[in-house]
Amino acid sequence: MSQDTSLRAWLISQIKMALPAKGKPAPFMVWYDPDREWIDLLRLAAEPAGVELWAPPAGEPDPHELVLRDRFAHEPRRRRIIWLPRARTDVTYFKVYELAAERVWTSSLAEALADYGVPVARRHEAELRPILALQARTWFDHPRSVWQELTPSAAKGALFDDSRILDVLTSESALFPALRAEGVFPVFASRVMEDLGLPDPSKGSEGEWRIEAMQRLLLMEAAASGGTPPLGARELSVGLVRDRALKLLKTCQNDRRHKAGFERLVLEADRHLGLDTWARSQSAPPRTSASRAVEKALLDQQIERYERIESDVLLLARELASGFTEIAERARGFWGEHADSPVLWGQLRDLAEAACVLTYYDNLQHTWPTAQDMIDAYARDIWRVERAGESLFRETPGISDPMHRIRARLRRAYQRTIDALGREFSQRLDVAGPALALDVPSAGERVLKELGEKKQLPTALVILDAFRFELACRLAELLQLKDPPERLAVEPALAPVPSITALGMPFALPIPRSKLHVAWTTGKRPQWSVTTDGWSGDLTVAENRRRWLIEKGGAKACLTTHEVLEGARLRELGEPGKLLFVYGDEFDRDGHEGSLQLSGAEDHLERYANVIRALRSAGYARIIVTTDHGFFHWQPESDERDDMPRGDDILFQSRRAVVGHGLTHATALRLRVPCSDLEVYVPRSVNAFRTYGALGFFHGGATLQELVIPVFIAVWSGKRKKTPVSLRKLEFITSLQPRLELVSGVQSGLFADGSLLPRSVLVRVVAQDILVFHHHEPAVVDPGKPTILTLKLVDPKPDVALGTPLRIEVRDADNGDFLMAMDTVLKVEISDWD
């Protein structure tokens, strides 16, 4: 009797060897099958091998790892195979039992065929892998000699792969005649009908088949979405056939080659299916992505729900934030991001993203005891509220009327949030009084301290009018993504009050506060005057500031940002000097003109990033950027405008400040104009005095946005240095063992001469000051090579809610220097489960 050499016999023998019948306790195997290529073969082999197979019946969903672990813990031990449709490295909850397994199977079908005696040449593996499972089922009982025919040419001659099916499905040309002439039309028909559950291509015209095939694919996806199946779906294939069909549908959406054909077919197929009505009737949004009609119906349904929340704008923000994950996922889908006729999920995603920030910071203002604490918190992460606000006030082309109404309500939520923060800060500022200036340096003092270190390092000092703290943080993010410095920091400084250009610019110069003298001069043109010891000029005058920088500050020249970008003046200067001064006023100019609120800051930030790159290319290894004051956008109601302070000696007044001697006001903050004997009254929070000027772009007062200004420092080394490090974008953390990819920031082979050194880094993920994830030891990033890290949840588990904004921080392991950070969102629940 001849020996059975079939793949079935070989697989049964492997199972029996791994699970001997006499083992105590009864042995078990863990079978990892991330590509689901083994499941059908195991169903055929388990019973003849005399073992129990733990796998869901065909067509049923896979059990959760927790369910599987609980079942394993309570059922008696038997000889069994525990099948898991995932890679070994992705398993979490069941990992504890893997250690007790008699054998852990991780071999792919291609690897197992090599052990069986049918090695697949490595150069052919990529071509054969997609069809190996199908071929294995077909030849499962054939002798091994038949398998010798498994070559790419033979397989492609006998089978029709998914890529070619998609070519036929999405083409506008008539391809059936060519398939018949080639002799592969029967194979094509067999694959689409038997393996994918699509209609018979031999019946009807080619164009009609394409539309009907897409209709079936859309119905299959709808039926698999977990809700009530749509009409016509119950007669369609399920189980593995449907799984393969849905995989084909997903590939069709994601493959650029099929983009136009996919969009055209779906628009035709949607016309007669009524899936929009079906989608609206479901108790929960269906998990679909292919039908434009469904996407449009779901978006309209979401907008209608949010529009019903009219008066409680913070409730609207909370509702939008709770739906952010699904909205963002649909915005990344084909119809949200890639279609020529898109569904505007992206607009709703932007609103929901802003709502996440507002919701997170709502009612947090009471957690900081002092003004100093609030300033530190603002510099750490509260500045993100301003980025959310900009996204809400920036004009969005093509925004629909309902979306516009939702955005208008979110603007009110933003204004309430910053008003609440402003009131809390005003209270703390009132308590702190002049002592706050002793704790927080001016911009000029921070610049002076930085210039005192590494005095010979060529430095460019850039002063930008109205460059608030949030903008500096976003500028730092731009540099991290494209040209990460060796050292990058954004440190908080304190603007003078009133926070206006006339005072702010002198305080931004590298001069100690103690050597500045502020006065209000009277005469034909009453105005501010700021002088410094040992120099006679008035530093409120721009020309005098430039003179001081050259005569006293050591600046080689004073340029505008336009001159830096144009390049001629930089080239004229030749070798970089000890200090170069650069000035720009785009934010202040556009803010007062109203265009900044409408257009946003992105173009200006990219311009300033280019200014920094130009300065670095000219040899300036250190760039310091600071400003005179911040600002905020506001449209106050009549009850948000305070009466003017009273007094006989009012010297200066604006909508945000009144300066003089002996003034009185019932509610406004009474502060001291620094370096003077003058007192200044500013309205609390975002209120304004009843005085001149158009409203909208505010500065002059003492909110966090106006008072806390940045000192941005970027340093590049001209010597051999460690490789720069950046992070691959990670929008969400969806696992309790998140994986991060660190990138060296240079192309592989670009620094093969050894001009860059490897860098050891420490990575952690925090929610404000709460440590959530970390890496147990330093990781080494080599120049030109990515590094994959798996982070661990800290023990004891932190109390951090689902949807909390997180910050990934990377520091140099040798000296603790901050390298970069990235914002993400926690999208996995931290529970009491192990």
Side-chain angles (χ1 to χ4, degrees), residues 586 589-601 604 633:
E586 289 84 352
R589 184 190 65 229
D590 288 358
H592 284 293
E593 292 176 356
S595 61
L596 180 61
Q597 186 175 8
L598 298 177
S599 63
H604 289 324
H633 288 124

Side-chain angles (χ1 to χ4, degrees), residues 184-245:
V184 296
F185 186 83
V187 179
F188 162 71
S190 175
R191 274 229 60 200
V192 298
M193 289 189 295
E194 297 173 13
D195 297 332
L196 301 171
L198 301 182
D200 186 347
S202 64
K203 298 179 179 178
S205 70
E206 188 170 345
E208 291 170 344
W209 176 84
R210 288 185 174 117
I211 294 173
E212 187 179 349
M214 182 56 70
Q215 288 176 330
R216 286 203 188 184
L217 290 170
L218 296 180
L219 287 172
M220 286 184 192
E221 184 189 45
S225 67
T228 305
L231 292 175
R234 297 184 184 277
E235 295 78 24
L236 301 179
S237 301
V238 296
L240 288 174
V241 171
R242 186 171 72 186
D243 291 345
R244 286 193 293 268

Side-chain angles (χ1 to χ4, degrees), residues 460 462 464 475 479 558-573 580-586 589 602-618 620 623:
V462 183
L464 304 174
L475 179 62
L479 288 186
C558 297
L559 307 182
T560 66
T561 54
H562 174 76
E563 288 173 319
V564 172
L565 291 174
E566 191 274 334
R569 286 292 310 278
L570 271 180
R571 290 190 293 272
E572 289 174 8
L573 292 174
L580 176 72
F581 174 69
V582 179
Y583 173 73
D585 67 349
E586 289 84 352
R589 184 190 65 229
E602 293 300 331
D603 290 344
H604 289 324
L605 288 174
E606 188 60 47
R607 173 185 172 85
Y608 289 147
N610 289 333
V611 167
I612 291 174
R613 295 185 188 107
L615 291 169
R616 186 192 173 199
S617 298
Y620 291 92
I623 315 292

